[in-house]
Amino acid sequence: MTEKTSPDLRPAPRDPAEEAMATPTGPLEMERRMHALGDAATWEDVDAQAHRAWDAPYGPPETWAVDAEDREIPGPHGPVPVRVCTPRAPADGPRPCLVWLHGGGFVHGDLDMPEGDHVARGVAGRADAVVVSVDYRLCDGFDGSPAREFPGGPEHVTAPIPLDDVCAAATWTRSSADTLGIDPARVAIGGASAGGNLAAAASLRLTDEGTLPAASLLMYLVAHPVRPEPDAEEAQALAATPPMVRFPLETMQAMSSNYLGRPFQEATPYDFPGLADPGQLAALPRTYIETDEYDDLRVSGRRYAEQLREAGVDVEYVVRRGVCHGHLNRVGLAEARDSMDRMGDLVRGL
């Protein structure tokens, strides 16, 4: 179930009949599995059967008549790997396009993870659109473990290098419109989690450079270096979330510090878009923000939606009920299909 918000970003009143149809009769499947984890402090303390159930797929993967081509495009720090997903059916004209960014805390993730590949194919198929999934450079782990190797340099990655890769991919996508069969005026940018941060930051930078994206699709993004305070409903949901799937403040601060590679006070809106002032935000395109009910990052997503609306941006803010952070990585999950349906509608309508 989703909840769209009224202008103050709180759930709008519903007709009682609509409420009855929209409210599930019992726990949603991901929520049910989450509750089975209990309140154990670590994964080692979780019941083995509950742990296996948590990791199990929710259904078969989707199949779409989409061709995927892996390429390397030029970037300021070396080649940037991308995967171009194109519907096989003949097009009536230039297609819309989504530049898509996986998540992974700025240290993990690739083009093959469900959030990267399954989502790219799913949106391409739903929207009859081209999706360019970007494998931006990753930072070393919080513990100093080396990042996955990328073609070219640099050896040590911090902000703004991943953003440089993303902006290079967006620029290449527009400039390759004829080859890709897309309309350069209908290129949106989107991402999930850390990828949502990069999509929002790229929207800011590209807009400042005079190349406004057609729209931004931001899925459970992190928009602030330090998490804003939750409201009462958010706090209640987070209190019901098992510790293993939460992002406590110390984890969030470690991720932000690791990505920045410099003190928080030196962070810019291109690092964390929630730091932008209303004047900078006001120029942004239509933005869709979706957060997960049982996710600490929902507070940052909600606050960023409020900031955009206060700046006069056309914003749609949705809480995806019954799911934890990263639900687009859960193959076969009904709520992940719902999210991709909405993303497909938005891209198709560009």
Side-chain angles (χ1 to χ4, degrees):
M1 182 180 75
T2 64
E3 289 188 0
K4 294 185 180 180
T5 59
S6 56
D8 67 354
L9 298 177
R10 295 296 183 265
R14 289 185 180 154
D15 178 88
E18 180 188 359
E19 185 72 40
M21 292 174 62
T23 303
T25 56
L28 302 172
E29 177 59 17
M30 192 175 192
E31 186 178 45
R32 185 191 68 77
R33 295 188 191 187
M34 182 194 77
H35 289 320
L37 298 176
D39 58 359
T42 68
W43 284 108
E44 288 73 19
D45 299 325
V46 174
D47 174 78
Q49 183 175 353
H51 197 167
R52 287 193 298 271
W54 176 256
D55 289 334
Y58 289 79
E62 296 182 348
T63 56
W64 293 93
V66 169
D67 290 323
E69 178 189 7
D70 287 355
R71 305 182 56 167
E72 289 185 352
I73 65 171
H77 307 287
V80 180
V82 300
R83 179 169 295 166
V84 180
C85 296
T86 307
R88 293 179 192 145
D92 295 333
R95 287 182 161 107
C97 180
L98 173 66
V99 177
W100 176 250
L101 316 171
H102 65 77
F106 304 104
V107 299
H108 302 296
D110 55 35
L111 296 177
D112 293 322
M113 66 190 290
E115 198 175 71
D117 186 65
H118 199 62
V119 172
R121 294 172 188 264
V123 173
R126 285 168 168 83
D128 189 31
V130 174
V131 177
V132 178
S133 186
V134 183
D135 197 15
Y136 53 86
R137 282 166 171 75
L138 301 174
C139 305
D140 292 340
F142 304 166
D143 59 358
S145 56
R148 174 167 57 88
E149 290 188 9
F150 281 72
E155 181 178 350
H156 183 61
V157 173
T158 59
I161 291 171
L163 179 62
D164 293 340
D165 284 349
V166 169
C167 290
T171 299
W172 172 85
T173 299
R174 282 178 179 265
S175 65
S176 304
D178 289 344
T179 302
L180 296 175
I182 64 171
D183 181 349
R186 293 191 293 156
V187 177
I189 189 165
S193 193
N197 166 287
L198 292 169
S203 293
L204 275 173
R205 193 161 98 177
L206 292 168
T207 298
D208 288 346
E209 293 171 354
T211 53
L212 182 74
S216 299
L217 280 61
L218 312 177
M219 313 297 285
Y220 42 88
L221 83 158
V222 53
H224 303 84
V226 178
R227 190 195 74 186
E229 285 298 312
D231 64 21
E233 188 275 327
E234 290 164 343
Q236 183 177 14
L238 295 177
T241 307
M244 295 80 63
V245 296
R246 288 200 61 181
F247 292 89
L249 288 176
E250 57 269 24
T251 299
M252 293 301 302
Q253 290 177 353
M255 181 187 71
S256 298
S257 177
N258 188 64
Y259 172 57
L260 274 173
R262 59 189 193 277
F264 280 175
Q265 57 266 32
E266 296 181 15
T268 74
Y270 294 161
D271 303 315
F272 291 94
L275 299 177
D277 62 44
Q280 190 174 15
L281 295 175
L284 288 174
R286 176 185 183 187
T287 301
Y288 175 78
I289 297 179
E290 182 174 311
T291 61
D292 294 337
E293 180 175 13
Y294 300 107
D295 180 10
D296 291 86
L297 268 62
R298 65 176 288 195
V299 183
S300 183
R302 184 260 302 164
R303 179 61 194 133
Y304 189 54
E306 290 174 344
Q307 291 174 264
L308 290 173
R309 191 176 297 281
E310 290 162 3
V313 178
D314 180 4
V315 181
E316 179 182 355
Y317 174 66
V318 172
V319 175
R320 187 66 59 186
R321 297 295 173 183
V323 296
C324 302
H325 182 79
H327 75 278
L328 288 174
N329 266 316
R330 300 291 176 167
V331 173
L333 180 68
E335 289 75 28
R337 290 195 298 270
D338 292 342
S339 296
M340 288 187 283
D341 287 347
R342 184 63 188 130
M343 294 166 66
D345 287 343
L346 290 165
V347 174
R348 182 185 288 273
L350 292 175

